[in-house]
Amino acid sequence: MGDVDHAAERRRLVEHLRRRTDASDRTLSAIAAVPRHEFVPEEDRSHAYADRPLPIGHGQTISAPHMVAVMVDLLEVSSGDRVFEVGTGCGYHAAVVAEIVGPGNVYSVEYVPELADAARERLDRLGYDVTVRAGDGRTAFEECAPFDAAYLTCAAPGEVPGEIVERTRIGGHVVAPVESNDDGSGLLGSIGAGRSGASQRLVRLTVRDDGVDREDHGGVRFVPMR
């Protein structure tokens, strides 16, 4: 399939997301700019612009586009903001964020070294200046803090790790799926398999001087944080 066809598929995807979500034009423009087919395995490229997650190996997935749109919008970042991502995966989510904040402003950590290496090469080849490291999201990029925003593409057990919240500036947002004790009804989209019997909620934390404000944005399903 040629580039013209991929561009048409992206336009159709964006129109679908416009109907399905309340995502801003800025977020939708970023999604329209990123060639999602470059981030999925060859055997799944015919489904690259379907609004659903796809496997990328090592038990991980590329998130459904509507979930990426929701999370990017919740970050409320602008050009020049520095963003910390936990869970690089294939690099797609980082590329969408980079379209908004600009080159050199996304710092991403991936627990699986093979995925980190592949994402780093892919992002570089596609012209995205994203810093990718293999490691633990609880400790990565400590020397680069504070960040204007942070997000997790994996489900934290119970709460967002305090180390990540502490690396986010006052007034900044942290967006993450967290495991909860409810029945998991009202899922926004399946992004992989969580721990057996555990439901998850998408939350946004706003960092304050005296703690955090927490908002709940519905049920989700992500792979668990490691």
Side-chain angles (χ1 to χ4, degrees):
M1 184 177 290
D3 287 341
V4 172
D5 293 317
H6 285 311
E9 286 194 316
R10 284 197 293 279
R11 287 194 296 272
R12 287 192 290 270
L13 173 62
V14 167
E15 288 309 309
H16 164 78
L17 296 178
R18 197 182 304 278
R19 294 189 299 270
R20 178 170 184 177
T21 74
D22 294 325
S24 66
D25 287 341
R26 181 178 60 177
T27 292
L28 294 177
S29 293
I31 289 175
V34 178
R36 191 173 188 254
H37 63 280
E38 295 281 2
F39 293 86
V40 303
E42 185 72 37
E43 61 270 22
D44 286 318
R45 288 194 172 178
S46 62
H47 306 296
Y49 294 98
D51 188 16
R52 61 184 176 91
L54 295 168
I56 58 172
H58 300 275
Q60 306 298 302
T61 60
I62 179 174
S63 295
H66 75 270
M67 182 56 63
V68 174
V70 168
M71 292 181 68
V72 171
D73 239 31
L74 288 173
L75 287 175
E76 294 187 352
V77 290
S78 302
S79 178
D81 285 345
R82 298 167 69 251
V83 181
F84 178 36
E85 175 188 63
V86 178
T88 315
C90 62
Y92 175 72
H93 202 141
V96 174
V97 175
E99 287 283 347
I100 294 175
V101 300
N105 289 316
V106 179
Y107 299 76
S108 184
V109 61
E110 169 55 51
Y111 189 81
V112 180
E114 294 85 354
L115 288 177
D117 292 343
R120 187 183 303 108
E121 183 279 329
R122 183 179 301 111
L123 288 162
D124 183 65
R125 173 170 55 82
L126 295 172
Y128 289 102
D129 182 5
V130 174
T131 303
V132 178
R133 290 182 186 171
D136 189 331
R138 299 168 184 83
T139 57
F141 296 111
E142 290 177 306
E143 76 284 3
C144 299
F147 294 96
D148 295 293
Y151 65 96
L152 282 67
T153 66
C154 46
E159 291 295 340
V160 179
E163 300 94 329
I164 296 171
V165 177
E166 290 165 3
R167 269 174 272 159
T168 307
R169 67 166 175 80
I170 302 300
H173 298 304
V174 181
V175 176
V178 296
E179 292 185 350
S180 68
N181 295 320
D182 69 14
D183 63 3
S185 60
L187 295 182
L188 291 178
S190 295
I191 316 297
R195 292 179 177 86
S196 177
S199 62
Q200 301 170 3
R201 308 295 294 181
L202 184 68
V203 303
R204 180 170 74 169
L205 307 181
T206 302
V207 182
R208 304 297 186 196
D209 284 316
D210 56 352
V212 298
D213 293 338
R214 176 183 171 123
E215 304 167 7
D216 185 295
H217 289 272
V220 293
R221 186 175 295 124
F222 282 72
V223 296
M225 185 177 188
R226 292 194 276 177

